[in-house]
Amino acid sequence: RAWTVSESDGTPPPFRVDETSRYDHHLCHLASAYWPSGFSQALVVSLDGMGDWYSCRIARGINGHLEPLAEYF
């Protein structure tokens, strides 16, 4: 069985490596800010030191979708 890093008590976590997905670092920040916000339209910015090679991504949130506008290294 291909489990990820074990829990502190030695039991495997409730998911397997082949069942997980990878997501873009900044996209996750953008989505977690926009989707629960309650706004149908918003300008969303993810700005941090580094993540997936970019330090900043900007998107427009429109009716539940994120439209990329810019990204900076």
Side-chain angles (χ1 to χ4, degrees):
R1 295 169 66 167
W3 296 99
T4 59
V5 177
S6 296
E7 300 292 330
S8 59
D9 65 358
T11 59
F15 56 86
R16 294 172 50 112
V17 171
D18 58 353
E19 294 175 353
T20 60
S21 299
R22 293 182 185 248
Y23 295 95
D24 175 86
H25 174 87
H26 286 285
L27 178 59
C28 290
H29 285 313
L30 295 168
S32 68
Y34 171 61
W35 287 333
S37 74
F39 292 106
S40 62
Q41 295 186 22
L43 180 67
V44 193
V45 178
S46 172
L47 181 64
D48 62 17
M50 182 73 131
D52 297 347
W53 302 106
Y54 299 96
S55 60
C56 177
R57 283 202 171 158
I58 301 169
R60 179 179 16 219
I62 300 176
N63 298 321
H65 299 280
L66 288 168
E67 176 187 324
L69 297 176
E71 51 195 21
Y72 301 95
F73 291 95

